[in-house]
Amino acid sequence: MTQSYAFYVYGSYLFAGAVTIGVTLWTWFEGRARRRELKALEASGIRRRSSRTKDASHSKASP
């Protein structure tokens, strides 16, 4: 009777670990893809909105 519970418990841990590793890898690969897209956009001349505000505030401060 103990073996049937052990199979369930180990199976649950294995499934949870696989899902955790899968989500971690998915997030990591998506982050790398977004960084590549951002780099390509910046190389084509498109800048981030946050960097535009910084640049605009510096240019307004200096006459």
Side-chain angles (χ1 to χ4, degrees):
M1 188 140 171
T2 307
Q3 297 230 349
S4 63
Y5 290 121
F7 176 74
Y8 172 75
V9 170
Y10 292 136
S12 297
Y13 277 117
L14 182 64
F15 178 74
V19 168
T20 302
I21 289 171
V23 168
T24 302
L25 288 174
W26 179 29
T27 303
W28 185 69
F29 283 121
E30 284 295 315
R32 288 185 62 184
R34 297 301 78 84
R35 281 193 294 273
R36 278 194 305 271
E37 286 179 10
L38 185 59
K39 190 181 247 185
L41 287 171
E42 287 179 343
S44 70
I46 298 174
R47 297 286 179 239
R48 296 184 198 186
R49 194 178 312 171
S50 60
S51 65
R52 271 193 254 151
T53 356
K54 254 193 248 178
D55 294 339
S57 66
H58 287 302
S59 63
K60 288 180 184 178
S62 317

Tab-separated table of all heavy atoms in Angstrom:
chain	number	residue	atom	x	y	z
A	1	MET	N	0.817	-1.189	0.000
A	1	MET	CA	0.000	0.000	0.000
A	1	MET	C	0.867	1.261	0.000
A	1	MET	O	0.497	2.259	-0.576
A	1	MET	CB	-0.895	-0.021	1.227
A	1	MET	CG	-1.896	1.072	1.219
A	1	MET	SD	-3.415	0.394	1.815
A	1	MET	CE	-4.354	1.812	1.998
A	2	THR	N	2.017	1.215	0.606
A	2	THR	CA	2.902	2.360	0.665
A	2	THR	C	3.434	2.702	-0.725
A	2	THR	O	3.620	3.857	-1.037
A	2	THR	CB	4.079	2.071	1.611
A	2	THR	OG1	3.561	1.640	2.857
A	2	THR	CG2	4.928	3.293	1.814
A	3	GLN	N	3.659	1.718	-1.541
A	3	GLN	CA	4.213	1.957	-2.869
A	3	GLN	C	3.257	2.748	-3.748
A	3	GLN	O	3.692	3.547	-4.551
A	3	GLN	CB	4.563	0.626	-3.510
A	3	GLN	CG	5.637	-0.101	-2.738
A	3	GLN	CD	6.738	-0.555	-3.647
A	3	GLN	OE1	6.618	-0.516	-4.840
A	3	GLN	NE2	7.827	-0.994	-3.058
A	4	SER	N	1.982	2.543	-3.618
A	4	SER	CA	1.048	3.287	-4.463
A	4	SER	C	1.079	4.778	-4.104
A	4	SER	O	0.959	5.628	-4.981
A	4	SER	CB	-0.367	2.735	-4.333
A	4	SER	OG	-0.835	2.899	-3.008
A	5	TYR	N	1.221	5.093	-2.816
A	5	TYR	CA	1.328	6.491	-2.421
A	5	TYR	C	2.657	7.084	-2.868
A	5	TYR	O	2.717	8.245	-3.261
A	5	TYR	CB	1.183	6.652	-0.906
A	5	TYR	CG	-0.217	6.391	-0.417
A	5	TYR	CD1	-0.477	5.400	0.522
A	5	TYR	CD2	-1.288	7.139	-0.888
A	5	TYR	CE1	-1.756	5.170	0.975
A	5	TYR	CE2	-2.573	6.917	-0.444
A	5	TYR	CZ	-2.813	5.919	0.488
A	5	TYR	OH	-4.079	5.700	0.925
A	6	ALA	N	3.703	6.328	-2.778
A	6	ALA	CA	5.020	6.808	-3.192
A	6	ALA	C	5.010	7.142	-4.685
A	6	ALA	O	5.556	8.179	-5.092
A	6	ALA	CB	6.091	5.768	-2.893
A	7	PHE	N	4.363	6.312	-5.478
A	7	PHE	CA	4.281	6.586	-6.912
A	7	PHE	C	3.548	7.905	-7.150
A	7	PHE	O	3.972	8.733	-7.963
A	7	PHE	CB	3.557	5.442	-7.625
A	7	PHE	CG	3.354	5.686	-9.095
A	7	PHE	CD1	4.420	5.592	-9.977
A	7	PHE	CD2	2.106	6.030	-9.582
A	7	PHE	CE1	4.246	5.836	-11.322
A	7	PHE	CE2	1.920	6.278	-10.931
A	7	PHE	CZ	2.985	6.174	-11.801
A	8	TYR	N	2.459	8.134	-6.443
A	8	TYR	CA	1.691	9.371	-6.584
A	8	TYR	C	2.518	10.583	-6.144
A	8	TYR	O	2.554	11.603	-6.827
A	8	TYR	CB	0.402	9.286	-5.757
A	8	TYR	CG	-0.354	10.580	-5.677
A	8	TYR	CD1	-1.090	11.039	-6.755
A	8	TYR	CD2	-0.305	11.365	-4.536
A	8	TYR	CE1	-1.766	12.238	-6.700
A	8	TYR	CE2	-0.978	12.568	-4.463
A	8	TYR	CZ	-1.713	13.002	-5.553
A	8	TYR	OH	-2.383	14.188	-5.483
A	9	VAL	N	3.173	10.472	-4.999
A	9	VAL	CA	3.954	11.599	-4.473
A	9	VAL	C	5.126	11.909	-5.396
A	9	VAL	O	5.350	13.075	-5.767
A	9	VAL	CB	4.434	11.303	-3.035
A	9	VAL	CG1	5.443	12.343	-2.568
A	9	VAL	CG2	3.242	11.243	-2.093
A	10	TYR	N	5.895	10.905	-5.778
A	10	TYR	CA	7.045	11.140	-6.659
A	10	TYR	C	6.594	11.636	-8.027
A	10	TYR	O	7.235	12.503	-8.627
A	10	TYR	CB	7.901	9.893	-6.797
A	10	TYR	CG	8.622	9.520	-5.522
A	10	TYR	CD1	8.678	8.195	-5.082
A	10	TYR	CD2	9.253	10.488	-4.757
A	10	TYR	CE1	9.335	7.859	-3.915
A	10	TYR	CE2	9.914	10.156	-3.584
A	10	TYR	CZ	9.946	8.847	-3.179
A	10	TYR	OH	10.598	8.521	-2.015
A	11	GLY	N	5.503	11.102	-8.507
A	11	GLY	CA	4.957	11.570	-9.786
A	11	GLY	C	4.541	13.025	-9.717
A	11	GLY	O	4.759	13.796	-10.656
A	12	SER	N	3.938	13.422	-8.605
A	12	SER	CA	3.522	14.817	-8.428
A	12	SER	C	4.726	15.751	-8.371
A	12	SER	O	4.723	16.826	-8.981
A	12	SER	CB	2.708	14.965	-7.143
A	12	SER	OG	1.534	14.205	-7.222
A	13	TYR	N	5.756	15.342	-7.630
A	13	TYR	CA	6.973	16.155	-7.566
A	13	TYR	C	7.642	16.251	-8.939
A	13	TYR	O	8.124	17.321	-9.326
A	13	TYR	CB	7.960	15.598	-6.545
A	13	TYR	CG	7.676	16.036	-5.130
A	13	TYR	CD1	7.351	15.102	-4.150
A	13	TYR	CD2	7.735	17.374	-4.772
A	13	TYR	CE1	7.082	15.493	-2.841
A	13	TYR	CE2	7.478	17.782	-3.480
A	13	TYR	CZ	7.151	16.835	-2.518
A	13	TYR	OH	6.889	17.244	-1.235
A	14	LEU	N	7.673	15.160	-9.651
A	14	LEU	CA	8.273	15.157	-10.981
A	14	LEU	C	7.500	16.083	-11.915
A	14	LEU	O	8.095	16.886	-12.644
A	14	LEU	CB	8.299	13.736	-11.541
A	14	LEU	CG	8.942	13.564	-12.910
A	14	LEU	CD1	10.421	13.929	-12.829
A	14	LEU	CD2	8.775	12.133	-13.376
A	15	PHE	N	6.179	16.013	-11.872
A	15	PHE	CA	5.358	16.876	-12.711
A	15	PHE	C	5.557	18.353	-12.345
A	15	PHE	O	5.731	19.205	-13.222
A	15	PHE	CB	3.881	16.496	-12.583
A	15	PHE	CG	2.971	17.366	-13.380
A	15	PHE	CD1	2.897	17.242	-14.764
A	15	PHE	CD2	2.189	18.326	-12.760
A	15	PHE	CE1	2.059	18.057	-15.507
A	15	PHE	CE2	1.349	19.140	-13.497
A	15	PHE	CZ	1.283	19.009	-14.870
A	16	ALA	N	5.533	18.666	-11.051
A	16	ALA	CA	5.711	20.047	-10.603
A	16	ALA	C	7.100	20.572	-11.002
A	16	ALA	O	7.237	21.725	-11.428
A	16	ALA	CB	5.525	20.143	-9.092
A	17	GLY	N	8.110	19.734	-10.873
A	17	GLY	CA	9.464	20.136	-11.269
A	17	GLY	C	9.564	20.380	-12.768
A	17	GLY	O	10.194	21.352	-13.202
A	18	ALA	N	8.927	19.518	-13.549
A	18	ALA	CA	8.954	19.684	-15.004
A	18	ALA	C	8.245	20.971	-15.416
A	18	ALA	O	8.720	21.711	-16.288
A	18	ALA	CB	8.312	18.482	-15.687
A	19	VAL	N	7.108	21.250	-14.787
A	19	VAL	CA	6.385	22.492	-15.097
A	19	VAL	C	7.210	23.707	-14.699
A	19	VAL	O	7.312	24.683	-15.452
A	19	VAL	CB	4.996	22.509	-14.409
A	19	VAL	CG1	4.362	23.883	-14.474
A	19	VAL	CG2	4.078	21.465	-15.021
A	20	THR	N	7.839	23.664	-13.533
A	20	THR	CA	8.667	24.781	-13.077
A	20	THR	C	9.841	25.014	-14.019
A	20	THR	O	10.135	26.163	-14.395
A	20	THR	CB	9.180	24.513	-11.647
A	20	THR	OG1	8.054	24.309	-10.790
A	20	THR	CG2	10.025	25.657	-11.136
A	21	ILE	N	10.511	23.967	-14.407
A	21	ILE	CA	11.639	24.096	-15.338
A	21	ILE	C	11.145	24.604	-16.689
A	21	ILE	O	11.771	25.476	-17.302
A	21	ILE	CB	12.385	22.753	-15.474
A	21	ILE	CG1	13.137	22.456	-14.184
A	21	ILE	CG2	13.339	22.774	-16.664
A	21	ILE	CD1	13.733	21.067	-14.113
A	22	GLY	N	10.005	24.098	-17.148
A	22	GLY	CA	9.445	24.539	-18.425
A	22	GLY	C	9.110	26.023	-18.424
A	22	GLY	O	9.443	26.748	-19.368
A	23	VAL	N	8.457	26.485	-17.371
A	23	VAL	CA	8.094	27.905	-17.290
A	23	VAL	C	9.346	28.774	-17.178
A	23	VAL	O	9.430	29.846	-17.786
A	23	VAL	CB	7.127	28.155	-16.110
A	23	VAL	CG1	6.963	29.626	-15.822
A	23	VAL	CG2	5.784	27.511	-16.392
A	24	THR	N	10.330	28.317	-16.426
A	24	THR	CA	11.582	29.069	-16.292
A	24	THR	C	12.285	29.194	-17.642
A	24	THR	O	12.723	30.294	-18.023
A	24	THR	CB	12.507	28.394	-15.271
A	24	THR	OG1	11.828	28.314	-14.020
A	24	THR	CG2	13.813	29.150	-15.108
A	25	LEU	N	12.393	28.086	-18.367
A	25	LEU	CA	13.039	28.132	-19.688
A	25	LEU	C	12.250	28.983	-20.665
A	25	LEU	O	12.834	29.753	-21.441
A	25	LEU	CB	13.214	26.713	-20.237
A	25	LEU	CG	14.267	25.876	-19.546
A	25	LEU	CD1	14.245	24.447	-20.081
A	25	LEU	CD2	15.646	26.488	-19.731
A	26	TRP	N	10.942	28.875	-20.654
A	26	TRP	CA	10.095	29.669	-21.534
A	26	TRP	C	10.305	31.159	-21.270
A	26	TRP	O	10.476	31.954	-22.197
A	26	TRP	CB	8.644	29.273	-21.329
A	26	TRP	CG	7.639	30.024	-22.162
A	26	TRP	CD1	7.825	30.585	-23.391
A	26	TRP	CD2	6.293	30.291	-21.807
A	26	TRP	NE1	6.667	31.175	-23.821
A	26	TRP	CE2	5.706	31.005	-22.869
A	26	TRP	CE3	5.510	29.988	-20.698
A	26	TRP	CZ2	4.394	31.426	-22.842
A	26	TRP	CZ3	4.203	30.403	-20.690
A	26	TRP	CH2	3.659	31.104	-21.745
A	27	THR	N	10.325	31.547	-20.001
A	27	THR	CA	10.531	32.948	-19.632
A	27	THR	C	11.909	33.427	-20.079
A	27	THR	O	12.060	34.534	-20.603
A	27	THR	CB	10.383	33.124	-18.112
A	27	THR	OG1	9.101	32.649	-17.719
A	27	THR	CG2	10.537	34.567	-17.694
A	28	TRP	N	12.913	32.594	-19.895
A	28	TRP	CA	14.275	32.955	-20.279
A	28	TRP	C	14.379	33.147	-21.790
A	28	TRP	O	14.965	34.137	-22.259
A	28	TRP	CB	15.235	31.879	-19.781
A	28	TRP	CG	16.677	32.197	-20.025
A	28	TRP	CD1	17.421	33.166	-19.432
A	28	TRP	CD2	17.545	31.536	-20.949
A	28	TRP	NE1	18.701	33.140	-19.911
A	28	TRP	CE2	18.812	32.150	-20.841
A	28	TRP	CE3	17.378	30.474	-21.826
A	28	TRP	CZ2	19.884	31.735	-21.610
A	28	TRP	CZ3	18.470	30.073	-22.579
A	28	TRP	CH2	19.700	30.703	-22.469
A	29	PHE	N	13.823	32.200	-22.575
A	29	PHE	CA	13.876	32.313	-24.032
A	29	PHE	C	13.088	33.521	-24.529
A	29	PHE	O	13.511	34.215	-25.451
A	29	PHE	CB	13.368	31.035	-24.715
A	29	PHE	CG	14.375	29.914	-24.699
A	29	PHE	CD1	14.070	28.705	-24.109
A	29	PHE	CD2	15.621	30.067	-25.277
A	29	PHE	CE1	14.985	27.672	-24.084
A	29	PHE	CE2	16.552	29.034	-25.267
A	29	PHE	CZ	16.229	27.841	-24.677
A	30	GLU	N	11.935	33.790	-23.930
A	30	GLU	CA	11.147	34.958	-24.315
A	30	GLU	C	11.892	36.255	-24.001
A	30	GLU	O	11.845	37.206	-24.779
A	30	GLU	CB	9.793	34.955	-23.608
A	30	GLU	CG	8.808	33.974	-24.191
A	30	GLU	CD	8.398	34.312	-25.617
A	30	GLU	OE1	8.116	35.478	-25.911
A	30	GLU	OE2	8.388	33.380	-26.439
A	31	GLY	N	12.575	36.302	-22.870
A	31	GLY	CA	13.362	37.481	-22.516
A	31	GLY	C	14.475	37.727	-23.519
A	31	GLY	O	14.727	38.869	-23.919
A	32	ARG	N	15.133	36.660	-23.932
A	32	ARG	CA	16.198	36.800	-24.934
A	32	ARG	C	15.630	37.287	-26.262
A	32	ARG	O	16.230	38.139	-26.922
A	32	ARG	CB	16.909	35.467	-25.151
A	32	ARG	CG	17.786	35.082	-23.972
A	32	ARG	CD	18.555	33.838	-24.259
A	32	ARG	NE	19.438	34.085	-25.406
A	32	ARG	CZ	20.195	33.180	-25.965
A	32	ARG	NH1	20.204	31.959	-25.506
A	32	ARG	NH2	20.949	33.464	-26.987
A	33	ALA	N	14.460	36.775	-26.637
A	33	ALA	CA	13.830	37.194	-27.891
A	33	ALA	C	13.440	38.665	-27.832
A	33	ALA	O	13.643	39.414	-28.805
A	33	ALA	CB	12.604	36.336	-28.180
A	34	ARG	N	12.898	39.112	-26.699
A	34	ARG	CA	12.508	40.523	-26.576
A	34	ARG	C	13.736	41.427	-26.605
A	34	ARG	O	13.702	42.518	-27.161
A	34	ARG	CB	11.737	40.774	-25.276
A	34	ARG	CG	10.411	40.053	-25.130
A	34	ARG	CD	9.376	40.360	-26.193
A	34	ARG	NE	9.570	39.685	-27.449
A	34	ARG	CZ	9.156	38.443	-27.747
A	34	ARG	NH1	8.522	37.729	-26.878
A	34	ARG	NH2	9.369	37.926	-28.935
A	35	ARG	N	14.849	40.993	-25.974
A	35	ARG	CA	16.076	41.798	-26.015
A	35	ARG	C	16.600	41.916	-27.447
A	35	ARG	O	17.076	42.977	-27.864
A	35	ARG	CB	17.139	41.208	-25.101
A	35	ARG	CG	16.922	41.549	-23.642
A	35	ARG	CD	18.123	41.228	-22.792
A	35	ARG	NE	18.413	39.809	-22.716
A	35	ARG	CZ	17.880	38.964	-21.836
A	35	ARG	NH1	17.020	39.415	-20.957
A	35	ARG	NH2	18.201	37.694	-21.827
A	36	ARG	N	16.520	40.811	-28.222
A	36	ARG	CA	16.947	40.863	-29.626
A	36	ARG	C	16.061	41.819	-30.418
A	36	ARG	O	16.560	42.606	-31.233
A	36	ARG	CB	16.896	39.470	-30.256
A	36	ARG	CG	18.104	38.622	-29.967
A	36	ARG	CD	18.173	37.407	-30.876
A	36	ARG	NE	16.973	36.591	-30.846
A	36	ARG	CZ	16.750	35.594	-30.009
A	36	ARG	NH1	17.666	35.269	-29.118
A	36	ARG	NH2	15.637	34.894	-30.070
A	37	GLU	N	14.748	41.759	-30.183
A	37	GLU	CA	13.841	42.670	-30.880
A	37	GLU	C	14.145	44.124	-30.518
A	37	GLU	O	14.147	44.996	-31.385
A	37	GLU	CB	12.389	42.364	-30.511
A	37	GLU	CG	11.845	41.117	-31.146
A	37	GLU	CD	10.410	40.847	-30.725
A	37	GLU	OE1	9.778	41.713	-30.090
A	37	GLU	OE2	9.928	39.750	-31.039
A	38	LEU	N	14.378	44.375	-29.242
A	38	LEU	CA	14.686	45.732	-28.801
A	38	LEU	C	15.977	46.231	-29.423
A	38	LEU	O	16.065	47.380	-29.867
A	38	LEU	CB	14.779	45.769	-27.277
A	38	LEU	CG	14.973	47.121	-26.637
A	38	LEU	CD1	13.839	48.071	-27.007
A	38	LEU	CD2	15.065	46.978	-25.133
A	39	LYS	N	16.978	45.357	-29.483
A	39	LYS	CA	18.256	45.738	-30.094
A	39	LYS	C	18.068	46.062	-31.578
A	39	LYS	O	18.622	47.037	-32.087
A	39	LYS	CB	19.268	44.607	-29.928
A	39	LYS	CG	20.671	44.964	-30.305
A	39	LYS	CD	21.580	43.774	-30.129
A	39	LYS	CE	22.545	44.071	-29.013
A	39	LYS	NZ	23.537	43.020	-28.836
A	40	ALA	N	17.252	45.269	-32.277
A	40	ALA	CA	16.997	45.521	-33.696
A	40	ALA	C	16.244	46.832	-33.887
A	40	ALA	O	16.542	47.605	-34.806
A	40	ALA	CB	16.202	44.365	-34.296
A	41	LEU	N	15.272	47.112	-33.026
A	41	LEU	CA	14.530	48.368	-33.133
A	41	LEU	C	15.439	49.569	-32.859
A	41	LEU	O	15.374	50.579	-33.571
A	41	LEU	CB	13.356	48.375	-32.149
A	41	LEU	CG	12.176	47.487	-32.514
A	41	LEU	CD1	11.193	47.425	-31.360
A	41	LEU	CD2	11.503	47.991	-33.773
A	42	GLU	N	16.276	49.462	-31.846
A	42	GLU	CA	17.187	50.566	-31.537
A	42	GLU	C	18.205	50.758	-32.656
A	42	GLU	O	18.589	51.886	-32.969
A	42	GLU	CB	17.881	50.324	-30.206
A	42	GLU	CG	16.954	50.520	-29.025
A	42	GLU	CD	17.612	50.258	-27.684
A	42	GLU	OE1	18.682	49.615	-27.649
A	42	GLU	OE2	17.044	50.700	-26.674
A	43	ALA	N	18.638	49.673	-33.296
A	43	ALA	CA	19.582	49.780	-34.405
A	43	ALA	C	18.938	50.453	-35.611
A	43	ALA	O	19.613	51.125	-36.385
A	43	ALA	CB	20.102	48.397	-34.792
A	44	SER	N	17.617	50.293	-35.762
A	44	SER	CA	16.930	50.915	-36.893
A	44	SER	C	16.554	52.368	-36.608
A	44	SER	O	15.959	53.024	-37.447
A	44	SER	CB	15.680	50.118	-37.264
A	44	SER	OG	14.688	50.254	-36.269
A	45	GLY	N	16.876	52.872	-35.415
A	45	GLY	CA	16.632	54.273	-35.108
A	45	GLY	C	15.456	54.507	-34.175
A	45	GLY	O	15.210	55.640	-33.782
A	46	ILE	N	14.725	53.486	-33.837
A	46	ILE	CA	13.605	53.642	-32.917
A	46	ILE	C	14.153	53.570	-31.503
A	46	ILE	O	14.870	52.644	-31.152
A	46	ILE	CB	12.545	52.549	-33.153
A	46	ILE	CG1	11.987	52.690	-34.554
A	46	ILE	CG2	11.450	52.628	-32.101
A	46	ILE	CD1	11.040	51.588	-34.945
A	47	ARG	N	13.827	54.560	-30.692
A	47	ARG	CA	14.341	54.622	-29.324
A	47	ARG	C	13.240	54.336	-28.323
A	47	ARG	O	12.061	54.443	-28.624
A	47	ARG	CB	14.928	56.012	-29.035
A	47	ARG	CG	16.103	56.345	-29.909
A	47	ARG	CD	17.329	55.564	-29.473
A	47	ARG	NE	18.462	55.855	-30.329
A	47	ARG	CZ	19.088	54.923	-31.021
A	47	ARG	NH1	18.721	53.688	-30.969
A	47	ARG	NH2	20.113	55.229	-31.763
A	48	ARG	N	13.640	54.053	-27.111
A	48	ARG	CA	12.685	53.812	-26.032
A	48	ARG	C	12.045	55.118	-25.603
A	48	ARG	O	12.665	56.176	-25.635
A	48	ARG	CB	13.391	53.204	-24.820
A	48	ARG	CG	13.976	51.859	-25.088
A	48	ARG	CD	14.560	51.316	-23.820
A	48	ARG	NE	15.488	50.251	-24.141
A	48	ARG	CZ	16.071	49.504	-23.249
A	48	ARG	NH1	15.866	49.710	-21.972
A	48	ARG	NH2	16.878	48.549	-23.615
A	49	ARG	N	10.810	55.026	-25.190
A	49	ARG	CA	10.087	56.207	-24.738
A	49	ARG	C	10.774	56.811	-23.514
A	49	ARG	O	10.872	58.023	-23.375
A	49	ARG	CB	8.656	55.823	-24.391
A	49	ARG	CG	7.753	57.006	-24.245
A	49	ARG	CD	6.337	56.600	-23.962
A	49	ARG	NE	5.907	55.557	-24.877
A	49	ARG	CZ	4.784	54.889	-24.750
A	49	ARG	NH1	3.985	55.124	-23.748
A	49	ARG	NH2	4.455	53.961	-25.611
A	50	SER	N	11.289	55.971	-22.623
A	50	SER	CA	11.949	56.480	-21.419
A	50	SER	C	13.221	57.245	-21.758
A	50	SER	O	13.542	58.235	-21.117
A	50	SER	CB	12.259	55.330	-20.467
A	50	SER	OG	13.114	54.395	-21.101
A	51	SER	N	13.950	56.830	-22.765
A	51	SER	CA	15.174	57.558	-23.115
A	51	SER	C	14.849	58.863	-23.821
A	51	SER	O	15.601	59.809	-23.726
A	51	SER	CB	16.103	56.701	-23.966
A	51	SER	OG	15.521	56.410	-25.207
A	52	ARG	N	13.693	58.928	-24.506
A	52	ARG	CA	13.286	60.191	-25.122
A	52	ARG	C	12.981	61.234	-24.067
A	52	ARG	O	13.322	62.376	-24.212
A	52	ARG	CB	12.053	59.982	-25.997
A	52	ARG	CG	12.420	59.617	-27.402
A	52	ARG	CD	11.228	59.718	-28.287
A	52	ARG	NE	10.832	58.341	-28.562
A	52	ARG	CZ	9.620	57.928	-28.825
A	52	ARG	NH1	8.624	58.770	-28.851
A	52	ARG	NH2	9.373	56.676	-29.076
A	53	THR	N	12.348	60.842	-22.979
A	53	THR	CA	12.018	61.800	-21.922
A	53	THR	C	13.291	62.322	-21.289
A	53	THR	O	13.386	63.494	-20.995
A	53	THR	CB	11.152	61.163	-20.825
A	53	THR	OG1	10.806	59.850	-21.154
A	53	THR	CG2	9.933	61.953	-20.568
A	54	LYS	N	14.244	61.459	-21.075
A	54	LYS	CA	15.518	61.893	-20.502
A	54	LYS	C	16.202	62.874	-21.435
A	54	LYS	O	16.669	63.919	-21.023
A	54	LYS	CB	16.426	60.682	-20.284
A	54	LYS	CG	16.563	60.274	-18.852
A	54	LYS	CD	17.702	59.315	-18.725
A	54	LYS	CE	17.126	57.952	-18.374
A	54	LYS	NZ	18.113	56.926	-18.269
A	55	ASP	N	16.272	62.529	-22.724
A	55	ASP	CA	16.914	63.408	-23.698
A	55	ASP	C	16.160	64.730	-23.800
A	55	ASP	O	16.769	65.788	-23.877
A	55	ASP	CB	16.970	62.745	-25.073
A	55	ASP	CG	17.866	61.521	-25.071
A	55	ASP	OD1	18.725	61.423	-24.165
A	55	ASP	OD2	17.705	60.671	-25.963
A	56	ALA	N	14.849	64.692	-23.794
A	56	ALA	CA	14.049	65.907	-23.914
A	56	ALA	C	14.224	66.790	-22.685
A	56	ALA	O	14.313	68.011	-22.806
A	56	ALA	CB	12.572	65.546	-24.097
A	57	SER	N	14.311	66.202	-21.502
A	57	SER	CA	14.476	67.018	-20.306
A	57	SER	C	15.852	67.667	-20.271
A	57	SER	O	16.002	68.793	-19.816
A	57	SER	CB	14.244	66.171	-19.042
A	57	SER	OG	15.248	65.206	-18.927
A	58	HIS	N	16.882	66.989	-20.781
A	58	HIS	CA	18.221	67.573	-20.822
A	58	HIS	C	18.272	68.710	-21.846
A	58	HIS	O	18.913	69.721	-21.613
A	58	HIS	CB	19.272	66.521	-21.180
A	58	HIS	CG	19.540	65.569	-20.062
A	58	HIS	ND1	19.964	65.969	-18.813
A	58	HIS	CD2	19.430	64.217	-19.990
A	58	HIS	CE1	20.105	64.910	-18.040
A	58	HIS	NE2	19.786	63.836	-18.742
A	59	SER	N	17.598	68.532	-22.972
A	59	SER	CA	17.662	69.573	-24.003
A	59	SER	C	16.862	70.802	-23.578
A	59	SER	O	17.196	71.903	-23.949
A	59	SER	CB	17.142	69.035	-25.338
A	59	SER	OG	15.789	68.682	-25.215
A	60	LYS	N	15.800	70.629	-22.798
A	60	LYS	CA	15.023	71.774	-22.328
A	60	LYS	C	15.785	72.535	-21.245
A	60	LYS	O	15.669	73.745	-21.146
A	60	LYS	CB	13.674	71.312	-21.766
A	60	LYS	CG	12.719	70.861	-22.819
A	60	LYS	CD	11.413	70.426	-22.188
A	60	LYS	CE	10.485	69.874	-23.246
A	60	LYS	NZ	9.235	69.390	-22.668
A	61	ALA	N	16.566	71.825	-20.439
A	61	ALA	CA	17.297	72.465	-19.355
A	61	ALA	C	18.437	73.336	-19.881
A	61	ALA	O	18.744	74.372	-19.341
A	61	ALA	CB	17.837	71.420	-18.384
A	62	SER	N	19.055	72.917	-20.991
A	62	SER	CA	20.169	73.676	-21.544
A	62	SER	C	19.654	74.546	-22.676
A	62	SER	O	19.131	74.039	-23.651
A	62	SER	CB	21.235	72.750	-22.108
A	62	SER	OG	21.455	71.688	-21.265
A	63	PRO	N	19.846	75.865	-22.588
A	63	PRO	CA	19.364	76.742	-23.683
A	63	PRO	C	20.226	76.690	-24.907
A	63	PRO	O	21.260	76.370	-25.080
A	63	PRO	CB	19.384	78.146	-23.083
A	63	PRO	CG	20.069	78.067	-21.781
A	63	PRO	CD	20.294	76.635	-21.474
